[in-house]
Amino acid sequence: YSVFFEGCCRPAELANNAGLVFHVRTELFVNSDSNEDFPLSSFKFTVPTQVVLKREGPGACEQIYCRPNNCFIEYSLQGYHEQLKWHETISFRKGTANEMGKYKCMEKAVPADPASALIFVQSQCPVGTTVTSFTEPKMQLLDANAKLRNDGTGSAGVVRFDVSQEEGTYHTTMVAVMLLPNGVRLNQVLDSKVQVAVMVFNDQPISYVPGMRDTNSFIDGSTPVDIVSGSFDAAAPSYPVKATPIEVQCGRSLFFLNKIGALNLDGPNLGTGIDFAFRDPDFSRTAGSCSQFAGQTIDFIDAANSLPRGLKVSNTAMFSGGVSKIELSWKPVCEDRSQVGLFHFCFYAKDKSTTPGFVPSYSVPSPSPSTWTIPGDNAEKQYHPTCLYVKSLPPAANPPPVLATDRLIPKVCCGKQKPIPDANGNMLPFTPCPEAGWADSNGIKVGNEYVLGGGGNKYEVVVGAQAENNFFKTDVEFFYPDATSVRFFSVSAPKYGCGASNFDVCSSNPNVQDTVARKLTVTIEASMPQNKIRICYQAFQTSPAGVDENAWTLLYRSTPTSKSCITCMILNIINAPVWPMEQRVDNSAPIFVGAGSTYVLPLTARNLGSGTTSIFILADPGAPDGSRLLEMQQTESVFVRNFEYTPTVAQAGLSSRVCFTASTVQEGAADPVDSDVLCYEFYVYVEQIRWVASPCPFDGGSSSRCRAQGVKVATVGCNTQTLLQAQGGAIEYYDVKLRLQQYPHCSNCFEYSTTKPVDTEIGVSQCTATNTVECCGNGICDGAETGWGCPQDCPAEDGSLVFVGDSTNEATFEFTPLRHQQGREVLVCVEAYADLGLAVINQRRQGELAPSLCIVFAVESCRYCVPAGATLKSIARHYMLNIDWLRLYNTNPDVTNPDMLLPQKAIQVGPLYKVAAGDTLLSVAATMKTTVKMLMENNPQIPEDGMMKVGLKVCVLLCSHA
């Protein structure tokens, strides 16, 4: 804030001015690019210091037309706020007596007594003022509630000044009011003079702006812009109002108006100057009663407000037809904040005549159209705009120059900061891009370039740079971070206007600054101290003379110039063949190969010398079965040989290391020279299956994290359904399929069980001569067997595995336990397999990773599931329980209606009896009033020999012996 106190510090003995009236005036500017919750600058008035209004007129022979109590001329309070948002919050009011300066005349009745009353003291007043000086003249605002508009229309700030008052000069005070969201009003005060003058036979000059010229006819940028008059259509204004100002890019002198001229910085523009014209309506006076002051012209055109630094205004030039013009030219300085932003340029004109007794008149401020208040007015007598908006744009983003070379060198980004010397003057090491293959953040790697060793050979590379604009001068520089001597390097002078591809035939253009190229030459000597040289280069810009880089950086938080990333390469001085880093397959990680598929590895060697190069496999460590080298291929100095590897299923899970060498016999030499050894690791891929199940079929599991094995407590007749998917790796080496497994086995299905040790194994095994109990093939459906796992012993299951669409690795699994499975733990596994067999599927089980998803169904005893539409009586028949339905009713107290049962509800059909020492089937049957047959039918877990283990829980149907 800049704060100005007016009328303070009187009298001297009242140091704190207690009780005095004084006025605070402020100007506000905030240098910020944040949001617009608060205005970043003050409202600015652009009204001339004195406004002259015609008392008699407007025609040279016409008297002013006055209605009763309504004899006025309109003029506008010119002004603006730089921000569109706040401009449209501005309204105007007339100033109070204190705002007109009355406070300067006020003093304490008793100066030593701060509590005494304020009185008017003539001696304190400015010279020439009296009490009546602070009485406003007869004037009013056309619409005191109107607010300014960005499209230049509206009635805000239009003053109707009564010109029937006595001739003379009047002091006016007007206030621009900005209302903030928090209710605070910011007031900007304008003190100005209005002169009511008698100007018989003299009309006031008006701004004269003919239509815009056709921009297509412009030949060069030296043509001035003719500002447009005409329609004030808010939707498509043709005049440069606040919402659509004339624009000029700081640092350039070209004006453009996007709304009209469709100009852009890279296309046609509206020229380097703006014409602003006024015309005197009295220029064509002819002889007659009104010819006293014939032949009037414009004397001068001047700015009504202060103009920004650097804006040049030409002298007033007179043309035919009573028109005079000035030309505005401007090249705003970007680093000067006072020359960047929105500006309101307002002008006024004074006329003249050589006739004695002539009283000159001045144009009336009018940034928007308004008319004289006389009948039959026409367009010739309109007030035309006397202001225009010009926006000086801040510098556009300056992207870094783009590098290009005449070779295929990877554009790796090695940072932007060159190595700098330390406190002792020693150059600090340049750590980025230390070697070939080093990758930047985008994965682009430092490349290799090659030159043949030996004295007299040369390596040349042309590096070009292209900047977005021609304002800054662009150049290229080279540096060599690891070189012990620079005598091997020479860099040409820059060629401007030349690219990397046409450097040798191109001539430098001194008028171009944005395109440049330089050539680096490295001369190879017989005894070079290094056989690998790191060469780095960078494009940069320099500011033209007169640009204050410190001020620019402070204002825009960035430097005016930009520079490209540093790009580095490795120049290899070679005699033996080499493996080009940019052409070879990455050997830092194993190469995965699917069994039964063929992997082709291209091996590329470069030989810059004479002779023919061959590529071989080293005998140690050799090569795996199924691999071979194909025929050599040559393109100039590049030799290529493909290595093929087709592993078999027997090699699944095996790793093989294969090493290669390139060998050349130079012309005239007896012995070959060999390259470095290049080795690769090949791994025959084994698929690791991850299972996804929804819902998770295990007790305690969830779909978001479901294990591949677990226990599910099941009930006879209750359905279990889940959607299964076997997911392999990111690359599909094999076509994974699903099937229900025969002879399933699970070693960790009870990992999360609370009823058995975690290492309990469960499975279905085939019967052998020594194993005939609970095995598949003994004719008894026992143990963990199901109709899927052991179809020889068990009946078909009530379940299915149905694939989803054409998928082979996603299916819906359903299973409903049958009566013969109650009291048993049966195992069902859905396994993943490939056409090549199970050898390509990892058989290890761990969490979600496993070759199969296995479910142990722990089928409850003495509990059956209710089918749809069943009653207790039908359940007794359905399951052949041989008991009265009333006994079921009494056994299930939560059943409220025996004839209306909920489907899939589990009901208890009898108690569980725990076998004690000495119990037999006969004794248990006698005690529970049932039969041995009923015990065997309802407890399939009891062996065929009837021998029950102590602690075994058996289902008993009480009183079912009848």
Side-chain angles (χ1 to χ4, degrees):
Y1 291 91
S2 298
V3 183
F4 305 90
F5 292 90
E6 294 188 359
C8 74
C9 309
R10 298 180 283 100
E13 61 269 19
L14 299 178
N16 62 353
N17 298 294
L20 288 179
V21 175
F22 63 93
H23 190 214
V24 179
R25 299 194 181 194
T26 68
E27 289 184 358
L28 168 68
F29 169 72
V30 181
N31 184 19
S32 171
D33 54 5
S34 62
N35 60 47
E36 297 186 357
D37 291 339
F38 195 80
L40 303 183
S41 62
S42 300
F43 179 82
K44 299 178 178 67
F45 279 105
T46 53
V47 180
T49 56
Q50 181 164 320
V51 176
V52 180
L53 300 179
K54 181 179 177 67
R55 189 169 185 271
E56 294 187 18
C61 300
E62 297 174 353
Q63 298 299 315
I64 200 163
Y65 178 82
C66 295
R67 298 183 181 91
N69 301 318
N70 188 6
C71 186
F72 55 81
I73 290 179
E74 294 177 353
Y75 73 92
S76 291
L77 296 174
Q78 298 169 169
Y80 75 109
H81 193 280
E82 186 172 345
Q83 294 163 272
L84 292 175
K85 171 182 177 180
W86 297 107
H87 183 81
E88 294 198 330
T89 68
I90 302 295
S91 60
F92 297 91
R93 64 174 174 83
K94 293 185 290 186
T96 64
N98 274 330
E99 286 169 331
M100 294 180 72
K102 184 177 179 181
Y103 64 89
K104 299 179 181 180
C105 306
M106 304 303 291
E107 186 58 276
K108 294 290 184 180
V110 180
D113 181 9
S116 63
L118 287 167
I119 61 173
F120 188 88
V121 181
Q122 181 65 53
S123 62
Q124 298 285 4
C125 283
V127 176
T129 59
T130 65
V131 175
T132 59
S133 298
F134 310 110
T135 302
E136 65 179 35
K138 294 179 182 180
M139 64 178 185
Q140 61 181 348
L141 287 164
L142 177 63
D143 186 352
N145 297 317
K147 291 180 170 58
L148 291 177
R149 293 178 53 169
N150 290 318
D151 60 11
T153 62
S155 58
V158 176
V159 178
R160 285 185 162 179
F161 199 94
D162 190 338
V163 292
S164 64
Q165 301 176 78
E166 292 183 3
E167 182 179 7
T169 302
Y170 296 85
H171 172 208
T172 66
T173 299
M174 305 300 294
V175 181
V177 181
M178 181 190 303
L179 179 62
L180 302 184
N182 59 4
V184 172
R185 284 178 166 82
L186 298 183
N187 299 303
Q188 197 75 10
V189 179
L190 169 70
D191 288 317
S192 63
K193 297 176 183 179
V194 175
Q195 180 185 1
V196 177
V198 175
M199 293 178 284
V200 182
F201 314 122
N202 187 11
D203 280 344
Q204 295 175 275
I206 60 174
S207 60
Y208 180 72
V209 280
M212 175 172 284
R213 301 171 187 167
D214 180 7
T215 57
N216 294 324
S217 67
F218 288 175
I219 299 175
D220 53 45
S222 62
T223 308
V225 178
D226 279 326
I227 301 305
V228 182
S229 61
S231 170
F232 277 79
D233 180 4
S238 60
Y239 188 81
V241 296
K242 189 173 190 296
T244 55
I246 290 176
E247 294 181 333
V248 60
Q249 178 72 59
C250 76
R252 298 189 177 197
S253 57
L254 297 178
F255 293 96
F256 52 97
L257 182 59
N258 287 326
K259 191 69 180 180
I260 309 169
L263 171 127
N264 57 67
L265 294 178
D266 298 321
N269 56 74
L270 300 187
T272 58
I274 300 175
D275 278 351
F276 203 93
F278 282 83
R279 182 170 61 88
D280 192 326
D282 301 319
F283 79 97
S284 59
R285 294 272 180 235
T286 58
S289 60
C290 298
S291 61
Q292 287 91 334
F293 304 112
Q296 299 175 33
T297 58
I298 300 296
D299 186 12
F300 65 80
I301 303 171
D302 200 0
N305 59 299
S306 59
L307 300 177
R309 285 196 296 265
L311 180 67
K312 297 179 181 179
V313 181
S314 70
N315 293 327
T316 304
M318 287 185 290
F319 296 85
S320 60
V323 175
S324 293
K325 294 197 294 186
I326 57 172
E327 183 179 342
L328 312 178
S329 58
W330 193 22
K331 185 178 181 180
V333 176
C334 293
E335 59 270 30
D336 184 350
R337 177 58 181 83
S338 69
Q339 298 186 46
V340 178
L342 185 68
F343 297 90
H344 197 210
F345 297 163
C346 296
F347 302 92
Y348 70 97
K350 171 180 171 290
D351 60 4
K352 67 178 180 179
S353 174
T354 58
T355 305
F358 175 78
V359 177
S361 63
Y362 296 81
S363 59
V364 177
S366 178
S368 58
S370 60
T371 59
W372 296 84
T373 55
I374 57 175
D377 219 2
N378 53 51
E380 182 66 22
K381 296 178 181 178
Q382 280 187 327
Y383 280 154
H384 289 266
T386 53
C387 300
L388 69 147
Y389 283 95
V390 175
K391 187 174 185 179
S392 171
L393 301 175
N398 186 17
V402 177
L403 288 169
T405 61
D406 62 343
R407 296 172 178 267
L408 296 177
I409 300 175
K411 293 183 179 180
V412 61
C413 184
C414 308
K416 291 192 174 183
Q417 183 60 51
K418 285 178 52 183
I420 56 176
D422 59 16
N424 299 321
N426 299 317
M427 194 64 66
L428 294 174
F430 184 67
T431 56
C433 300
E435 59 189 8
W438 184 93
D440 63 13
S441 59
N442 295 318
I444 301 175
K445 299 180 179 180
V446 176
N448 281 300
E449 287 290 292
Y450 303 93
V451 61
L452 187 63
N457 291 322
K458 290 184 178 181
Y459 171 84
E460 293 182 335
V461 62
V462 177
V463 177
Q466 174 72 55
E468 188 181 74
N469 61 75
N470 202 43
F471 185 70
F472 302 104
K473 192 170 188 177
T474 305
D475 204 347
V476 175
E477 62 179 336
F478 296 84
F479 64 97
Y480 324 100
D482 313 314
T484 57
S485 174
V486 295
R487 75 174 189 271
F488 314 107
F489 310 99
S490 63
V491 180
S492 71
K495 285 187 176 182
Y496 285 93
C498 302
S501 60
N502 64 343
F503 182 85
D504 291 332
V505 298
C506 181
S507 299
S508 186
N509 184 348
N511 297 319
V512 175
Q513 296 193 119
D514 58 348
T515 305
V516 67
R518 286 180 183 259
K519 177 187 284 189
L520 168 70
T521 301
V522 183
T523 302
I524 308 303
E525 298 184 358
S527 57
M528 296 282 284
Q530 299 164 283
N531 59 4
K532 291 186 178 182
I533 302 174
R534 185 165 47 147
I535 297 174
C536 302
Y537 47 90
Q538 181 181 32
F540 65 96
Q541 294 175 318
T542 55
S543 298
V547 173
D548 188 335
E549 293 199 7
N550 292 331
W552 185 304
T553 303
L554 182 64
L555 183 60
Y556 300 110
R557 302 181 183 89
S558 64
T559 58
T561 58
S562 63
K563 51 188 176 183
S564 71
C565 276
I566 296 171
T567 294
C568 295
M569 64 178 180
I570 305 300
L571 179 61
N572 298 269
I573 304 170
I574 61 172
N575 291 301
V578 293
W579 308 105
M581 179 67 70
E582 64 277 6
Q583 296 181 12
R584 78 184 196 192
V585 177
D586 184 10
N587 66 340
S588 60
I591 295 175
F592 293 96
V593 185
S597 62
T598 299
Y599 181 85
V600 178
L601 173 67
L603 300 166
T604 302
R606 184 186 295 274
N607 173 30
L608 297 183
S610 59
T612 301
T613 299
S614 299
I615 298 174
F616 304 101
I617 298 175
L618 292 181
D620 185 12
D625 291 342
S627 63
R628 63 172 182 162
L629 278 174
L630 302 184
E631 295 295 322
M632 289 287 300
Q633 299 177 12
Q634 179 183 356
T635 303
E636 296 181 348
S637 62
V638 178
F639 298 82
V640 179
R641 195 172 190 185
N642 289 338
F643 171 77
E644 281 189 357
Y645 179 30
T646 308
T648 64
V649 174
Q651 294 170 299
L654 298 180
S655 293
S656 303
R657 183 175 177 82
V658 183
C659 296
F660 306 91
T661 184
S663 182
T664 300
V665 178
Q666 302 283 359
E667 293 180 0
D671 299 320
V673 289
D674 297 331
S675 68
D676 295 334
V677 175
L678 178 62
C679 296
Y680 289 91
E681 192 82 19
F682 295 92
Y683 174 73
V684 184
Y685 188 74
V686 173
E687 194 72 79
Q688 182 75 64
I689 301 298
R690 181 182 300 275
W691 292 91
V692 177
S694 179
C696 187
F698 312 117
D699 295 333
S702 64
S703 297
S704 60
R705 187 165 180 81
C706 188
R707 306 178 301 277
Q709 57 279 320
V711 178
K712 168 72 174 177
V713 176
T715 304
V716 173
C718 282
N719 176 266
T720 295
Q721 178 176 307
T722 184
L723 178 65
L724 303 178
Q725 185 181 30
Q727 296 181 343
I731 301 177
E732 296 183 359
Y733 292 93
Y734 311 111
D735 184 12
V736 176
K737 303 179 180 180
L738 300 181
R739 66 187 176 191
L740 289 163
Q741 189 176 20
Q742 191 173 13
Y743 309 125
H745 183 269
C746 183
S747 60
N748 60 344
C749 279
F750 295 94
E751 183 178 2
Y752 295 93
S753 173
T754 58
T755 60
K756 291 188 176 183
V758 297
D759 58 351
T760 301
E761 295 191 22
I762 185 172
V764 177
S765 59
Q766 290 181 288
C767 292
T768 63
T770 58
N771 178 25
T772 59
V773 179
E774 293 188 353
C775 60
C776 186
N778 62 1
I780 304 171
C781 189
D782 54 3
E785 297 171 359
T786 66
W788 292 315
C790 182
Q792 302 97 308
D793 295 347
C794 299
E797 297 298 334
D798 184 2
S800 62
L801 185 68
V802 180
F803 292 98
V804 177
D806 296 331
S807 174
T808 60
N809 68 329
E810 185 177 12
T812 299
F813 168 72
E814 288 193 55
F815 175 62
T816 301
L818 301 175
R819 185 180 177 190
H820 70 273
Q821 292 169 328
Q822 64 174 325
R824 294 172 53 203
E825 291 177 341
V826 296
L827 177 64
V828 178
C829 293
V830 179
E831 72 173 346
Y833 71 102
D835 291 336
L836 293 174
L838 296 178
V840 296
I841 305 295
N842 193 320
Q843 297 299 306
R844 185 166 176 253
R845 307 188 68 87
Q846 184 177 8
E848 304 162 43
L849 304 176
S852 59
L853 185 140
C854 292
I855 310 171
V856 175
F857 289 99
V859 185
E860 297 178 295
S861 290
C862 274
R863 287 177 67 81
Y864 295 159
C865 220
V866 175
T871 65
L872 288 181
K873 184 180 292 186
S874 66
I875 287 176
R877 291 196 307 269
H878 179 77
Y879 290 110
M880 296 177 292
L881 299 179
N882 195 27
I883 59 175
D884 190 86
W885 69 270
L886 288 174
R887 192 170 300 282
L888 287 179
Y889 192 37
N890 293 330
T891 308
N892 295 274
D894 57 333
V895 175
T896 57
N897 187 341
D899 294 326
M900 294 182 64
L901 302 179
L902 295 176
Q904 294 293 298
K905 175 179 173 57
I907 64 170
Q908 194 76 27
V909 299
L912 292 175
Y913 175 78
K914 187 176 183 180
V915 176
D919 282 343
T920 65
L921 283 174
L922 192 58
S923 66
V924 172
T927 302
M928 300 299 171
K929 299 187 184 310
T930 186
T931 64
V932 171
K933 179 181 178 182
M934 291 295 292
L935 286 176
M936 292 296 289
E937 286 181 353
N938 289 286
N939 293 279
Q941 74 274 27
I942 299 176
E944 287 289 321
D945 58 10
M947 300 300 294
M948 298 182 296
K949 296 180 181 179
V950 175
L952 179 67
K953 293 181 180 180
V954 296
C955 175
V956 178
L957 303 183
L958 299 175
C959 301
S960 60
H961 61 285

